[in-house]
Structures are given as C-alpha cells and as structure tokens.
Amino acid sequence: MHQICVLISGGGSNLAALIAAIHCYQWDIRINSVIADRACAGKQHAIAAHIPFHLVDRTLDKTTFAEQLIATVPPETELIVLAGFLSIIPPSLLHHFPRIINIHPSLLPKFGGAGMYGLKVHQAVIAAGERESGCTVHWVNQEIDGGAILAQNRVSVFPDDTPEQLQQRILAYEHQLLPATVARLCAQLPPFHQ
Ligand code: GRF
C-alpha cells in the first residue's frame, strides 16, 4: 500500500476527487493524513473519509511552521500531494520529503509563479486573450510552480468566459489529472512495507 499525504488550504475538491478515485479504482494507495495550513472547507472531505486531519497554522513563524509540518507528515509518506495548498513549501520539508507534487490551474510555465493562484490565474489568462488554458501537475522544487512538469490537460477558453467560469471548467479537468498522475507515480514506486 503506497502512502501519500495531502496538503490543502481551500475547498478540497481535488482531495475529494483523489479520495473517490482511490476508492473507485481500488488503487493500492492510502492517504495517511490530510494537513491544512488554515481553517478550510476541505477538512470535511478528510473527516468524511475517516482520514486523520491536522492543522499546521500558516501564521506561525517560518521556522516553527516548517518544523511542525515535518513533524506532522507521517514519516512513512512516499509522496506529498499539494492539492490547493497556498503556503510556500519550506526547503527543509523538501529535504525530508523530496517527492512532492503540486497541481496548478494553468498550462505552466504560463501563468505561474508568485501571486498566481486562485482566480488571479484565470483573470490573467483572460486578460492576455488566451484561447486555451488548462492545468498542470508538476514536481515541487524551490522555485514557485517551477519544478518539472509531469502532466497537463488543455482546456478551451471561450470569448465570453468569466474568470469564475474558466476556473470551474478547468477544475473538472484537474479532478481527472491529479488522481491519474498520483496513480502513475505510485505505480512507479517500489512497494512499501511497514
Ligand atoms: C485548484 O485550482 C488547484 O489547481 C490550485 O488550487 C485549487 C484548489 O482547489 N492549486 P480545491 O481546494 O482542490 O477545490
């Protein structure tokens, strides 16, 4: 059983999609914990699925935040999944857990980097007159949204789209892309023995 830990900050719809896919396809994957950096609606998905939930407060000083994150991620975790986690990943977490992936709601490297999150991404895509956007799953490194790309889904942008409409359309594609990528990565990992 592969062990993954999911970090969230918001609604947790990607977490819900991951939980549903693992259940539906009977993947050999266990979400061992869900960790949030703030009070958020996504907690309910963890609770409903009986997954241990933890809060590591983002308002802590940087060093304590990093220490608490490292102490909270179960040590047997093979892959950390950032599913709408808004805090910057501390370098020390990456040092302890080098396998961290993130999902971003654009076709990286376009519309990524500092300040590009939530509706801001979709506002920028529409303002730039893009005909196409999408979502990306990538490895996390020290650069915001800068790690190697693992998978992308392309999504049309329609002329009269609002940022909210585009966000919702892309989110539906995220819900396919993230579970599929997690399954692919876990299948490549050696079996985990407790
Ligand atoms: C998604 O759009 C994801 O790409 C981004 O944050 C959003 C999280 O949504 N990183 P949810 O909390 O999974 O509903």
Side-chain angles (χ1 to χ4, degrees):
M1 190 69 91
H2 291 293
Q3 304 257 354
I4 69 172
C5 176
V6 182
L7 274 53
I8 61 169
S9 300
S13 67
N14 278 288
L15 166 66
L18 196 50
I19 293 170
I22 291 169
H23 180 74
C24 175
Y25 300 113
Q26 301 278 293
W27 286 333
D28 198 29
I29 298 172
R30 185 165 85 90
I31 301 177
N32 58 21
S33 288
V34 171
I35 303 173
D37 64 350
R38 66 199 73 194
C40 63
K43 172 181 178 176
Q44 297 314 319
H45 298 298
I47 304 294
H50 307 288
I51 298 167
F53 174 84
H54 308 277
L55 180 70
V56 177
D57 193 339
R58 68 187 164 121
T59 62
L60 291 166
D61 68 86
K62 266 188 185 179
T63 311
T64 314
F65 180 70
E67 284 171 1
Q68 290 205 3
L69 262 186
I70 292 165
T72 307
V73 175
E76 63 273 21
T77 299
E78 299 166 83
L79 180 72
I80 294 180
V81 178
L82 309 184
F85 190 66
L86 288 173
S87 291
I88 303 289
I89 291 303
S92 53
L93 183 72
L94 257 175
H95 184 74
H96 275 77
F97 297 96
R99 284 196 218 102
I100 306 180
I101 62 169
N102 179 47
I103 182 151
H104 183 81
S106 77
L107 291 175
L108 290 175
K110 284 181 150 186
F111 306 101
M116 276 292 170
Y117 60 89
L119 273 182
K120 289 173 200 241
V121 177
H122 308 293
Q123 283 160 352
V125 167
I126 290 170
E130 297 285 327
R131 306 282 298 275
E132 191 179 54
S133 187
C135 46
T136 303
V137 178
H138 62 93
W139 288 113
V140 171
N141 64 11
Q142 297 303 335
E143 199 187 326
I144 299 172
D145 300 326
I149 291 172
L150 285 159
Q152 290 186 313
N153 269 341
R154 313 182 86 82
V155 181
S156 295
V157 180
F158 300 127
D160 56 352
D161 264 344
T162 63
E164 290 81 2
Q165 286 169 329
L166 184 57
Q167 181 179 48
Q168 288 310 310
R169 189 176 313 121
I170 291 175
L171 205 47
Y173 286 83
E174 294 183 38
H175 297 162
Q176 309 292 323
L177 191 68
L178 185 64
T181 309
V182 167
R184 172 161 66 88
L185 289 178
C186 285
Q188 291 165 3
L189 291 170
F192 182 80
H193 300 290
Q194 270 185 314

